[in-house]
Amino acid sequence: MAPRHVLRCCQRSLSWIPVIFINLVVGWSYYAYVVELCILTIPNNAEKISYLVVFHLFFIMFIWSYWKTICSRPANPSKEFCLPNVEKEQYEKEEHPDTQQEILKKVVVGLPVYTRTGTGAVRYCDRCLVIKPDRCHHCSTCDMCVLKMDHHCPWVNNCVGFSNYKFFVLFLAYSMLYCAFIAATVLQYFIKFWTNQLPDTHAKFHVLFLFFVAAMFFISILSLFSYHLWLVGKNRTTIEAFRAPVFRNGPDKNGFSLGFSRNMAEVFGDQKKYWMFPIYTSNGDGNSFVTRLVNLDPEQIAVGLQINGKSSVDCPASPKHVLGDTVNHIEDHQDGSFDKTDVAETVTVTIESES
């Protein structure tokens, strides 16, 4: 036990190396830009002051969003996803996977869980001993189940998920703007030093190297930021982009997409005035998500069945479980009727768009 504990402590200590590296680079860039460029190189006071004001604006937002991403603890499933004591004992005593699944299926009936494993089984974490909510995954690095897990990022030494995904996207945005501003304003002095139009002082190394570092980081962050903006617009995580979530009726890569505006609001919140600030404004609780397609059992159908000429069914679920903008319809039979046993297998649900 002792060597394992020591190894775990060493791993945790080493995991901070990327964070320390980023902070050292940012600290040097601050010194190089403020002292070596603005104070020692730029002769015009108006230009110097304007550069410093804009630089510090991007710097503050960059550091704020970066450390919010680092310090936000990953959100875990709520207690309702833990097995009750009786079912937990039955599950642990049972050796047959099929019987274990039957136990899980009984428990999951009352939970807002609509995704399954690739084989159609209920997603259960044997390490955390919880039924996994939709979009929740177990992070082997953090050793916990993380709500709406996107990925584990070594550069922030944290899991990026429901609790800090907005902060992570803002961190990418402000770091990109920070690098772009540095590269754009340093460029003319980079050229002057390169062509020997300015005296060869110790500031030359800092200015030349600052431009290369800023340009390099800008290009790499731009691609990552663009990718995550695309994910936000599609309402997908990185995991879901590589492996489509499996619902009761099969995999659907767009199962959580509600339209661009609602997808953006799910991450950044309903009030646009807070979108650019690294403060928590995301919608929902991370334990359940609005889906485009929901399967209902026969009891739920009896409550919400409503026939409107074309045999469409309106979803009677609560706002947490209702559908988005996409309207799906039950296939009409030739005589206008439909078989209720078929509906029990896969129910196509509709909801009117919210005004």
Side-chain angles (χ1 to χ4, degrees), residues 108-278:
V108 84
V109 168
L111 297 175
V113 176
Y114 300 107
T115 54
R116 295 290 187 264
T117 65
T119 59
V122 176
R123 302 191 316 129
Y124 182 76
C125 181
D126 290 310
R127 290 188 63 84
C128 299
L129 304 178
V130 295
I131 294 173
K132 294 179 182 178
D134 293 342
R135 318 184 83 174
C136 175
H137 298 274
H138 186 89
C139 176
S140 57
T141 305
C142 297
D143 195 25
M144 66 174 68
C145 282
V146 180
L147 296 180
K148 196 185 176 184
M149 180 178 173
D150 188 89
H151 68 288
H152 185 91
C153 180
W155 300 108
V156 299
N157 191 28
N158 199 0
C159 251
V160 177
F162 178 78
S163 63
N164 62 354
Y165 188 61
K166 176 189 175 182
F167 307 147
F168 178 75
V169 175
L170 289 179
F171 153 61
L172 294 179
Y174 287 121
S175 60
M176 184 183 66
L177 291 174
Y178 178 76
C179 292
F181 178 77
I182 290 177
T185 53
V186 167
L187 179 58
Q188 60 173 314
Y189 297 97
F190 169 84
I191 295 173
K192 289 179 180 179
F193 274 122
W194 191 267
T195 56
N196 296 319
Q197 297 179 35
L198 289 175
D200 193 2
T201 62
H202 60 84
K204 180 178 181 178
F205 164 79
H206 291 283
V207 172
L208 294 178
F209 198 58
L210 184 61
F211 175 79
F212 282 119
V213 172
M216 179 186 66
F217 273 95
F218 170 77
I219 294 171
S220 60
I221 295 171
L222 176 62
S223 59
L224 187 60
F225 176 67
S226 301
Y227 176 67
H228 278 279
L229 271 188
W230 179 79
L231 289 178
V232 172
K234 295 290 186 179
N235 203 341
R236 299 177 197 168
T237 63
T238 300
I239 295 174
E240 292 164 355
F242 285 95
R243 185 175 66 250
V246 180
F247 293 85
R248 298 176 191 177
N249 60 313
D252 183 2
K253 63 182 180 180
N254 295 316
F256 295 105
S257 182
L258 308 173
F260 181 78
S261 60
R262 292 183 65 184
N263 292 344
M264 292 288 290
E266 187 169 293
V267 174
F268 294 99
D270 295 319
Q271 299 184 341
K272 294 183 179 180
K273 61 183 179 181
Y274 296 123
W275 281 17
M276 306 317 310
F277 297 97

Side-chain angles (χ1 to χ4, degrees), residues 300-341:
Q300 290 172 308
I301 296 169
V303 177
L305 198 60
Q306 182 178 352
I307 302 175
N308 294 322
K310 289 190 177 181
S311 301
S312 64
V313 179
D314 291 332
C315 177
S318 61
K320 284 185 178 179
H321 313 144
V322 297
L323 298 185
D325 298 329
T326 301
V327 177
N328 301 286
H329 296 283
I330 298 176
E331 289 188 15
D332 298 333
H333 287 218
Q334 294 294 330
D335 58 355
S337 63
F338 61 89
D339 188 354
K340 189 173 181 178
T341 58

